[in-house]
Amino acid sequence: MALWLRGSSLSLSLLLVEPTLAGTLVGQSQTITNGDPVETWSLSQNSTLNVNGAQTLGILASQSTLNTSGATTGRIIGRQGASINLSNTTVTGGNVLAGLELADSDATINGSTVTGNQLGLTALHVVGTTIGSTVTATNSTITGVTGGARATAFSVLDFSNSIVEGTGATSFGISLLSSTASASNGTRIIGGQNGVILGLETGVSEVNKLTLDQSSVEGRNGSAIVVDYAGTSAAVSQIDVLNGSTLTGSNGTILEVRGAGNAAMNVERSNLTGNVQVAGDGVAALAFTQASLTGDVRADAGGTATVALLQGSQMTGVMDNVATASIDQSSWVMTGDSQVGDLVLTGGTVRFGADNAFYRLNVESLSGNGLFEIGTDFATNQTDFLNVTGTATGSHQIMIASSGVDPASGQPIQVVHTGGGDATFALANADGAVDLGTYSYGLKQSDTGNDWFLDPTARTVSPSTRAVMALFNTAPTVWYGELSPLRSRMGELRFNSQKSGAWLRAYGNKYNVSDSYGGGYRQAQQGFALGADAPLPLGDGQWLLGVMAGHSTSDLDLHRGTSGTIKSYYIGTYLTWMDEDSGYYVDSVLKLNRFQNDAKVGMSDGKRSKGDYDNSGLGGSVEVGRNIKLNDGYFIEPFTQWSAVAIQGKDYHLDNGLQAEGDRTYSLLGKAGVTVGRDMQLDNGATVQPYVRAALAHEFAKNNEVKVNNNVFNNDLSGSRAELGAGIAVNLSQRWQAHAEVEYMNGKGIEMPIGGTVGVQFKW
């Protein structure tokens, strides 16, 4: 008996010869169990053979049913509508076409192993029929030396949690000839060379369909999937890669289309690594939905490749000779120069690789709206470049990587060229400018309207520059915030001037500083100081000698994510003279500071840079005044205070490459004012002294130079300021005093909307 089948692009005749028969069923049913004779079987005319725990040789089922459970068999052949049901069965095909051979028949395989020295299984259709064979395999292993499984037209393979493997060096996992296969639930398809091969069966119009759902395909010495029509034009082979499925090719190729092959691969919720290669006569359409590809898509001359990135998908790699790339709410990260015919962006992003690598994207036409992330080395004038040779339409944004390095030449740097059209490009960087070292630059369109450049003529001071200048500028305000006049520093000393004691003070101040280079900054300072002193009887007056130490933290807010922090640690000494009879007093302070400065810069491309340095400061203050007693406990106290401080200069850099050189910073502040208050005795013996203070101050230092990338700036906070304050001092007992004060200051370039201090003293 002979059966002719068609199973490849060439007519493949498979002569299935019936084995030597021992057990024969014709229209009958029989069950064999362990211990029954080991023999071959032939089933025909709707017979049924049940093999329960038994061993058999080859079985031929024609228009019949075979049920096995816990069995061991030789080759199994099903034809003419046979139904093969294998459960926990081992099928060993030997040197025949396949371990399981189906022609217009069905098989259900569960928990079984099927092997063959050529194929593990074949699912065929008889020439002239459109029935085909269907295989459903669950928790099973199917292997063959030539290939794991092969299906021809009208046939369907369905694998779940199974292994389908070709073990030979040139083998495939699955071969589809105008047929359908699906793999799910962790199924592994492995080929010694290629994982899955999609070809054609001559004379039929059926298409290949391959579906992978939570499964994998591996080509151990070739590609994961090969679509090869052997030079014959035919319909598209559909490939679906779903839900975490993977493709692996030892040659780095996950999809290879050749021999006039035509493939449409849809990837959903899966992350693939590897390349797609389309030969000169091939066609491949790739669509990614909530998925990713790390690899290149390349089409040889004459080949056609299209890429669609949808719903948050990402591709990282090169597109070479890609006819159409559609990026919809998704992103493409280039890893090399690329060439695309039509680039369509719908909220999509194209990133030109790492900041230190520079690529060129050649596009024939551009449309839609999208974002291009471009990097530029402004020390060498190297830059990524978008070149649209044809028409560009739509509204697009450009995000250019920020840098702390100034442009090398100061000349315009071209980043986009178009061949025509009404496309618009604008910087997506914060504030519409890109930070390049000392300055931030805007984007300029050429007079022809086809080119876009970074414009060095339209520049503003960059956040990096403002941050380093603010750090250099803030140390004097930190120093003065820690100092304060005598009364706000120590309360009313006259309560118990003849006793030694210790004191503790906590304070906080807020400053709004404006400058000539940007939007200024806000400074918030908080800290504490403690000290101890003792009276020194000298001459006719009262001398008080003390020491103090403290710490403060100042936080700077320069807007748009740029900030700074200054931690100050200080020690000092003070000498105070007070004459009880005349009311005159002199208070002198000498203070040494150590500053820890830290800057965090929010750059225009959304990245951050930082830098830090330490420096020291030394300064002193002399306050002279007179306490004039009036009636009913009132007093008036005119005073003047002169303070000077020198802050150590420092050279440092930010990690974006910006270099800062700060000269020594000086401040000379003169102040004249008056305090008015009243001493009030309470019934419990305590004394309360409320007071108000007003003063006019003037900063004389004008030239505090800072160099940023060798560009010179002057931190100038000179000018006059008005100060107002109000407080209260309380003498609780012979040993305890307390005081509190709030103040306000406003003047040229600086405002302190609120400042406050509270303190206590203990006398012994």
Side-chain angles (χ1 to χ4, degrees):
M1 176 181 293
L3 178 64
W4 292 89
L5 307 175
R6 178 170 293 155
S8 69
S9 57
L10 300 176
S11 294
L12 174 65
S13 61
L14 304 177
L15 182 60
L16 305 181
V17 180
E18 297 179 9
T20 302
L21 303 181
T24 301
L25 296 177
V26 179
Q28 299 171 295
S29 297
Q30 185 170 339
T31 298
I32 61 175
T33 59
N34 188 22
D36 287 337
V38 178
E39 54 189 349
T40 60
W41 285 87
S42 174
L43 317 176
S44 61
Q45 298 184 26
N46 295 316
S47 296
T48 299
L49 175 63
N50 302 310
V51 183
N52 297 330
Q55 180 177 352
T56 74
L57 300 177
I59 301 174
L60 170 63
S62 179
Q63 203 175 7
S64 297
T65 300
L66 171 64
N67 302 312
T68 70
S69 178
T72 300
T73 77
R75 172 180 61 163
I76 297 175
I77 300 174
R79 64 189 189 193
Q80 294 181 347
S83 177
I84 310 297
N85 303 296
L86 308 179
S87 177
N88 299 315
T89 295
T90 298
V91 179
T92 304
N95 294 318
V96 293
L97 176 64
L100 174 60
E101 304 173 26
L102 301 174
D104 289 348
S105 298
D106 299 333
T108 300
I109 307 170
N110 183 38
S112 299
T113 299
V114 180
T115 63
N117 289 348
Q118 295 185 46
L119 299 174
L121 71 84
T122 60
L124 313 174
H125 79 103
V126 176
V127 174
T129 71
T130 58
I131 299 173
S133 300
T134 299
V135 176
T136 301
T138 305
N139 303 321
S140 297
T141 300
I142 299 169
T143 62
V145 176
T146 302
R150 172 180 285 159
T152 65
F154 312 109
S155 297
V156 177
L157 306 178
D158 185 0
F159 302 101
S160 175
N161 192 31
S162 297
I163 297 175
V164 185
E165 181 175 2
T167 58
T170 60
S171 65
F172 53 81
I174 294 177
S175 172
L176 300 181
L177 301 172
S178 305
S179 53
T180 298
S182 62
S184 61
N185 299 320
T187 293
R188 298 174 58 202
I189 302 171
I190 305 166
Q193 184 172 26
N194 300 310
V196 176
I197 299 176
L198 281 64
L200 299 178
E201 179 178 339
T202 304
V204 298
S205 60
E206 291 297 295
V207 298
N208 291 300
K209 295 181 180 179
L210 173 65
T211 302
L212 307 174
D213 191 343
Q214 295 181 326
S215 297
S216 65
V217 175
E218 178 182 358
R220 289 185 169 168
N221 193 32
S223 304
I225 300 175
V226 175
V227 180
D228 188 347
Y229 287 179
T232 301
S233 298
V236 179
S237 291
Q238 180 64 47
I239 304 168
D240 292 318
V241 183
L242 312 175
N243 301 319
S245 295
T246 61
L247 304 177
T248 304
S250 66
N251 59 4
T253 302
I254 59 173
L255 175 63
E256 180 182 354
V257 182
R258 65 193 186 198
N262 192 338
M265 186 166 76
N266 174 49
V267 183
E268 296 183 14
R269 297 174 297 279
S270 299
N271 301 316
L272 304 184
T273 299
N275 303 320
V276 175
Q277 183 64 50
V278 182
D281 55 356
V283 177
L286 311 176
F288 296 84
T289 304
Q290 299 179 33
S292 71
L293 171 66
T294 302
D296 302 336
V297 178
R298 298 181 182 272
D300 294 341
T304 301
T306 62
V307 177
L309 303 176
L310 310 170
Q311 298 181 26
S313 295
Q314 177 173 301
M315 175 183 167
T316 302
V318 169
M319 293 192 199
D320 184 17
N321 194 33
V322 171
T324 301
S326 301
I327 305 176
D328 185 349
Q329 303 297 327
S330 301
S331 62
W332 169 29
V333 181
M334 294 168 52
T335 59
D337 293 344
S338 296
Q339 189 275 320
V340 174
D342 299 327
L343 179 60
V344 182
L345 303 178
T346 308
T349 299
V350 178
R351 182 181 179 190
F352 285 65
D355 293 343
N356 59 351
F358 307 101
Y359 304 128
R360 182 184 182 94
L361 173 58
N362 292 318
V363 177
E364 294 178 11
S365 68
L366 172 67
S367 61
N369 60 88
L371 172 66
F372 295 91
E373 296 185 7
I374 290 177
T376 301
D377 185 341
F378 295 97
T380 62
N381 278 354
Q382 291 178 287
T383 183
D384 295 319
F385 188 71
L386 172 62
N387 179 40
V388 183
T389 58
T391 300
T393 61
S395 178
H396 306 278
Q397 292 185 308
I398 300 175
M399 174 72 76
I400 299 180
S402 297
S403 170
V405 180
D406 285 7
S409 63
Q411 299 299 313
I413 298 175
Q414 185 177 4
V415 293
V416 175
H417 168 76
T418 68
D422 59 0
T424 60
F425 294 88
L427 283 176
N429 300 65
D431 298 333
V434 56
D435 303 337
L436 305 178
T438 309
Y439 298 100
S440 299
Y441 298 84
L443 191 68
K444 179 181 180 181
Q445 188 175 9
S446 68
D447 294 338
T448 64
N450 295 333
D451 301 289
W452 279 262
F453 303 83
L454 288 178
D455 184 7
T457 64
R459 67 184 190 182
T460 58
V461 174
S462 70
S464 298
T465 299
R466 292 171 49 224
V468 301
M469 290 177 60
L471 286 184
F472 285 130
N473 204 36
T474 302
T477 58
V478 171
W479 197 88
Y480 285 121
E482 297 167 347
L483 182 64
S484 296
L486 177 64
R487 190 176 296 274
S488 61
R489 191 179 79 246
M490 297 180 62
E492 177 52 81
L493 291 180
R494 292 178 180 83
F495 286 148
N496 293 288
S497 60
Q498 303 300 318
K499 293 184 179 182
S500 300
W503 53 270
L504 174 66
R505 170 188 175 230
Y507 53 89
N509 306 293
K510 290 188 176 182
Y511 299 93
N512 297 324
V513 181
S514 60
D515 54 48
S516 303
Y517 312 112
Y521 59 89
R522 293 191 294 268
Q523 174 187 344
Q525 180 187 29
Q526 56 185 4
F528 69 91
L530 51 86
D533 48 55
L536 299 175
L538 296 173
D540 295 333
Q542 176 64 55
W543 293 88
L544 193 70
L545 178 65
V547 294
M548 63 180 180
H551 165 68
S552 73
T553 298
S554 296
D555 295 318
L556 306 183
D557 180 5
L558 288 90
H559 317 295
R560 211 183 74 187
T562 297
S563 62
T565 301
I566 300 177
K567 294 184 181 296
S568 172
Y569 303 87
Y570 58 92
I571 57 174
T573 182
Y574 56 92
L575 180 63
T576 304
W577 174 80
M578 292 181 296
D579 184 75
E580 184 69 25
D581 294 334
S582 65
Y584 284 105
Y585 72 91
V586 178
D587 180 57
S588 59
V589 177
L590 182 67
K591 188 159 68 78
L592 175 65
N593 284 66
R594 185 64 174 172
F595 302 105
Q596 296 177 348
N597 307 271
D598 178 80
K600 295 181 175 65
V601 180
M603 296 186 293
S604 62
D605 60 355
K607 298 178 182 177
R608 295 183 67 83
S609 179
K610 60 183 179 179
D612 60 80
Y613 68 97
D614 296 346
N615 63 341
S616 301
L618 178 64
S621 170
V622 176
E623 181 182 341
V624 178
R626 183 184 181 189
N627 183 271
I628 303 172
K629 302 293 186 181
L630 303 175
N631 295 331
D632 297 326
Y634 287 98
F635 68 87
I636 183 170
E637 189 175 276
F639 70 93
T640 182
Q641 183 186 40
W642 292 84
S643 306
V645 63
I647 310 296
Q648 177 189 13
K650 198 75 173 182
D651 298 347
Y652 78 107
H653 68 277
L654 300 182
D655 60 9
N656 63 6
L658 183 133
Q659 302 291 327
E661 304 174 34
D663 286 351
R664 187 177 289 115
T665 300
Y666 296 100
S667 173
L668 176 59
L669 186 69
K671 184 185 302 184
V674 62
T675 302
V676 177
R678 184 185 184 190
D679 291 324
M680 296 183 296
Q681 296 291 328
L682 303 181
D683 293 340
N684 61 3
T687 302
V688 177
Q689 184 190 87
Y691 63 88
V692 293
R693 187 179 72 250
L696 180 65
H698 186 83
E699 174 62 70
F700 292 91
K702 294 183 178 181
N703 187 24
N704 290 315
E705 188 174 281
V706 177
K707 289 183 179 179
V708 180
N709 290 347
N710 292 321
N711 297 285
V712 178
F713 297 88
N714 182 26
N715 265 336
D716 183 5
L717 286 179
S718 62
S720 298
R721 309 162 188 174
E723 297 181 359
L724 296 173
I728 186 171
V730 182
N731 186 27
L732 300 170
S733 67
Q734 290 296 314
R735 294 186 180 274
W736 288 98
Q737 295 86 44
H739 65 278
E741 181 178 296
V742 294
E743 55 185 330
Y744 170 82
M745 179 266 289
N746 196 1
K748 179 185 176 183
I750 186 169
E751 177 193 20
M752 184 176 70
I754 188 170
T757 181
V758 294
V760 295
Q761 292 189 74
F762 175 77
K763 297 291 186 176
W764 56 78

